[in-house]
Amino acid sequence: MSDPQFLVPAEAMTVASVAAFLKVDWTGGDGERVIRRVAALSNASPDSLSFLDNPKYAEQLAATRAAACLVAARQSHLVPEGVAAIVVSHPHAAFVSVSRRLFPQALRPQSLFGATGTSPGAMIHPSARLEPGVVVDPGVVIGPQAEVGSGTILAAGCVVGPGVRIGRDCAIGPHVSLVHALVGNRVILHAGVRIGQDGFGFELGRMKHAKVPQIGRVIIQDDVEIGANTTVDRGHVLDTVIGEGTKIDNLVQIAHNVEIGRHCVIVSQVGISGSARLGDFVMLGGQVGVNNHVTVGHGAQIAATSIVKDDVPDGARWGGRPAKPVRDWFREIAAVERLARAKPADKDEGAS
């Protein structure tokens, strides 16, 4: 059985054309060699483009079999003979630019069935409205009064609930469910994302807990990307809102009434409790927990595994459990380390 290559280049590029695309010079190697892959230095083949962005990998560069390597000028002398050195200011950023050019299909989920138009295996309510150019895979269910914009892909098994509106050029991955939601343009939802289910709300009592109706919506603005198996609950009486350009990793929980600003970055396993608010350009590291009704200011950064229980000012960098300004956190850690290293007093010391 042949080893499948799941993604193939959208166009043929040579070493010379890669350099021309980046508007830079190249030296050494064969300018006419065809680039068919992008790869790390350690597993590059003679038709691969690679990069060096960290001098700790200089030994891998010396042994690489790549056709060409993107390097900064100060490291170009490390490129071995026979490998073209393409000199750029920021090697990884240039590597990303070329990768996007070669593999545009990797930028968002595609039809799993290779479908164009609507598959006969989909179930679409007669009152739903799909603009021309929507791709619908087998097993998709679209409810009454739902609307889907042109250029959007609905992958196998996803469910679009009644009245849901999805904008244009979106990619909705397999087994995504959307209810009580309004979705903007160019939104990417990866496999298993759950949007618009009940928020976790109960009026607690001594004998039983009464379920609180969740009557709000989820509003996802343009250019948002949400990773696999992330959940976004609909609001209780307000809407849950995710701002334009925000990027959310896999396995994140966003509770009811949460408001997330524009261009935030939220890493895997973050949990954001109800009615919390994040400003624009906030960054949350992996496994951060944000308490309910907390506000995290514009541009703030929270270190991984931190627990945020208090409001965070604009532009602050906090970490710890509970989270505090990083300088205070580092002092706290240093103090604990000094105590741990301290020699215990002799039990008999001072005894007469």
Side-chain angles (χ1 to χ4, degrees):
M1 181 181 294
S2 61
D3 187 17
Q5 184 176 352
F6 292 104
L7 296 171
V8 296
E11 62 177 284
M13 296 188 77
T14 63
V15 171
S17 67
V18 168
F21 169 67
L22 296 172
K23 299 179 181 179
V24 296
D25 296 325
W26 61 277
T27 60
D30 179 2
E32 297 306 312
R33 184 175 292 184
V34 176
I35 301 295
R36 295 188 176 87
R37 305 171 190 270
V38 292
L41 290 165
S42 58
N43 67 349
S45 56
D47 59 355
S48 296
L49 174 71
S50 192
F51 73 100
L52 177 71
D53 205 27
N54 189 325
K56 69 181 285 188
Y57 297 110
E59 289 186 7
Q60 293 185 14
L61 174 59
T64 192
R65 298 169 60 235
C69 183
L70 299 160
V71 291
R74 66 183 180 278
Q75 295 163 339
S76 60
H77 66 284
L78 300 174
V79 179
E81 185 178 353
V83 177
I86 303 176
V87 180
V88 294
S89 299
H90 303 285
H92 185 259
F95 184 76
V96 170
S97 294
V98 176
S99 299
R100 289 171 62 95
R101 173 85 175 254
L102 286 171
F103 301 101
Q105 68 272 40
L107 296 176
R108 67 175 194 159
Q110 303 294 310
S111 166
L112 298 184
F113 199 64
T116 57
T118 300
S119 166
M123 298 181 64
I124 302 174
H125 194 275
S127 65
R129 178 175 175 266
L130 277 61
E131 291 185 341
V134 174
V135 174
V136 182
D137 268 3
V140 170
V141 176
I142 302 177
Q145 308 299 324
E147 299 180 8
V148 183
S150 63
T152 290
I153 297 171
L154 303 175
C158 74
V159 176
V160 179
V164 168
R165 297 178 185 175
I166 301 173
R168 293 171 177 164
D169 298 312
C170 297
I172 311 300
H175 295 285
V176 170
S177 62
L178 297 108
V179 294
H180 305 273
L182 305 177
V183 178
N185 299 319
R186 299 175 302 279
V187 170
I188 297 174
L189 305 180
H190 289 276
V193 166
R194 306 299 182 198
I195 302 293
Q197 61 284 332
D198 277 10
F200 188 71
F202 297 88
E203 180 66 27
L204 304 183
R206 296 182 61 185
M207 303 299 293
K208 64 178 181 178
H209 308 313
K211 185 176 180 66
V212 177
Q214 306 290 303
I215 59 175
R217 307 169 297 180
V218 174
I219 298 176
I220 300 175
Q221 297 179 358
D222 295 348
D223 299 302
V224 169
E225 182 163 352
I226 300 180
N229 294 319
T230 283
T231 60
V232 183
D233 295 344
R234 70 177 182 262
H236 164 33
V237 289
L238 301 172
D239 294 328
T240 302
V241 180
I242 300 178
E244 171 188 349
T246 285
K247 312 302 180 187
I248 301 174
D249 199 359
N250 305 333
L251 295 169
V252 170
Q253 158 65 12
I254 298 172
H256 59 195
N257 300 347
V258 167
E259 293 183 12
I260 297 175
R262 300 177 302 117
H263 305 291
C264 296
V265 176
I266 299 173
V267 183
S268 180
Q269 297 184 2
V270 164
I272 304 177
S273 299
S275 300
R277 285 170 173 76
L278 277 59
D280 299 338
F281 292 94
V282 168
M283 299 183 68
L284 303 181
Q287 296 186 332
V288 164
V290 179
N291 279 15
N292 57 325
H293 300 281
V294 163
T295 295
V296 180
H298 299 300
Q301 299 180 18
I302 310 297
T305 74
S306 300
I307 302 297
V308 182
K309 71 176 184 65
D310 300 308
D311 290 349
V312 180
D314 292 353
R317 297 175 66 233
W318 280 26
R321 305 166 72 91
K324 53 184 68 66
V326 289
R327 288 188 179 183
D328 296 343
W329 180 36
F330 290 164
R331 289 194 196 100
E332 181 181 283
I333 292 171
V336 171
E337 288 177 347
R338 285 194 297 270
L339 287 172
R341 287 195 301 266
K343 183 179 179 181
D346 191 328
K347 292 182 179 180
D348 297 329
E349 186 177 343
S352 57

